[in-house]
Amino acid sequence: MTLAEAVAQAGARLAAAGIEDSRREARLLVCRLLGGGPELLLGSPERALTDGETGRIEAAVNRRAAREPLSRILGEREFWSLPFALNAATLDPRPDSETLVEAVLAEVAERDAALRLLDLGTGSGCLLLALLSELPAAQGCGIDLSAEAVAQAAANAQRLGLAARARFLRHSWDDGLALAPTPWDVIVSNPPYIASAEIAALAPEVAGYDPAAALDGGADGLEAYRSLIPAAAAVLAPGGLLALEIGQGQAAAVEELLVAAGLRPLRRARDLAGIERCLLAVAAAGG
Ligand code: GLN
């Protein structure tokens, strides 16, 4: 079989499985499995594939047809133009979450400041590491309940050359942040915020493959914020910034929790679809 034939066949399989962007995904999946990008198909469409290659392609196409996301099959997702390896314990980073990175950077007056950053429920480490990549003198800590996620985030930091400024701990925010007590200048989090009953109705790529612990926000979707916000408020430096990703329609309710914890809501940031996706709040300046 030639490369062009393999891509055409994969595209037909994915279309039959109801994958919307089947041709583009097929091209990307096959070319990436062969170690290149979509340019492989343009450059050598007649390249003959080995049996080993067609076997690997077939196995991957079967996984995608079962609605496993491309990023999980390839083991990697690009976020903030950086590569992040994923595992079963990490949420697949979304472009929506780049809204938070952008919103935080817009508030940082001095990019070279020695800021201390904390990421609650870090998963792949994408939020913290994207910020560290833009803030050369900053140091950061990411915590996650999952040891597997912590290991993945640490490996991502290593690969991105950020390990000297990032540490990752297995830790919960439920009873405060005893393991990460430093006053932090910036705290970020993309906590689970989907109402439990709504998870089953999400796309099969999300419901079936993102870890439940990274999605499930309890009965009303706000459970994580109720423990996270007071814990963060207690370790935020005077004048420090808290940036939270939120689900659609949650802004007002989460702002109430921010105010109740003594923080001052600063602004809401919208994602590319125009949905309020991130809330910024500041701690009182102290003194
Ligand atoms: N962005 C995910 C979704 O809407 C949810 C992630 C989360 O709960 N933090 O599918």
Side-chain angles (χ1 to χ4, degrees), residues 130 159 218:
R159 176 176 174 195

Side-chain angles (χ1 to χ4, degrees), residues 181-242:
T182 315
W184 300 92
D185 301 300
V186 179
I187 302 181
V188 300
S189 183
N190 175 15
Y193 54 65
I194 310 288
S196 307
E198 288 169 17
I199 291 179
L202 298 175
E205 282 83 352
V206 179
Y209 295 96
D210 272 322
L215 295 176
D216 193 337
D220 64 356
L222 300 173
E223 213 39 62
Y225 300 107
R226 293 195 177 93
S227 51
L228 182 160
I229 289 173
V235 295
L236 207 51
L241 182 71
L242 174 61

Side-chain angles (χ1 to χ4, degrees), residues 18-226:
I19 309 277
E20 223 170 85
D21 213 356
S22 54
R23 286 158 63 103
R24 187 189 65 87
E25 289 211 19
R27 205 161 51 228
L28 203 61
L29 183 58
V30 172
C31 291
R32 290 285 299 277
L33 288 170
L34 297 176
E39 76 284 350
L40 275 185
L41 182 60
L42 290 173
S44 43
E46 300 306 321
R47 165 177 166 186
L49 303 184
T50 66
D51 287 350
E53 287 170 336
T54 50
R56 279 193 292 128
I57 290 168
E58 194 180 322
V61 169
N62 285 339
R63 288 170 68 180
R64 186 66 191 103
R67 306 307 290 254
E68 185 169 350
L70 204 58
S71 49
R72 291 198 185 274
I73 299 168
L74 297 172
E76 191 174 296
R77 158 79 86 173
E78 189 177 287
F79 179 83
W80 201 257
S81 299
L82 302 170
F84 286 89
L86 308 177
N87 67 26
T90 63
L91 189 78
D92 185 356
R94 311 284 204 278
D96 290 341
S97 300
E98 294 178 346
T99 305
L100 185 149
V101 177
E102 219 167 66
V104 168
L105 291 174
E107 297 302 323
V108 172
E110 179 58 75
R111 292 268 171 126
D112 290 326
L115 295 171
R116 297 155 299 183
L117 316 180
L118 176 64
D119 181 5
L120 305 178
T122 195
S124 64
C126 64
L127 293 178
L128 178 64
L129 296 171
L131 286 168
L132 289 177
S133 78
E134 300 283 350
L135 302 168
Q139 304 260 350
C141 174
I143 70 164
D144 204 285
L145 263 185
S146 157
E148 249 185 294
V150 165
Q152 188 64 78
N156 283 330
Q158 193 72 44
R159 176 176 174 195
L160 293 169
L162 296 168
R165 295 190 288 125
R167 73 198 163 98
F168 294 95
L169 297 174
R170 181 163 182 268
H171 185 38
S172 161
W173 64 66
D174 278 345
D175 310 309
L177 287 163
L179 289 182
T182 315
W184 300 92
D185 301 300
V186 179
I187 302 181
V188 300
S189 183
N190 175 15
Y193 54 65
I194 310 288
S196 307
E198 288 169 17
I199 291 179
L202 298 175
E205 282 83 352
V206 179
Y209 295 96
D210 272 322
L215 295 176
D216 193 337
D220 64 356
L222 300 173
E223 213 39 62
Y225 300 107
R226 293 195 177 93

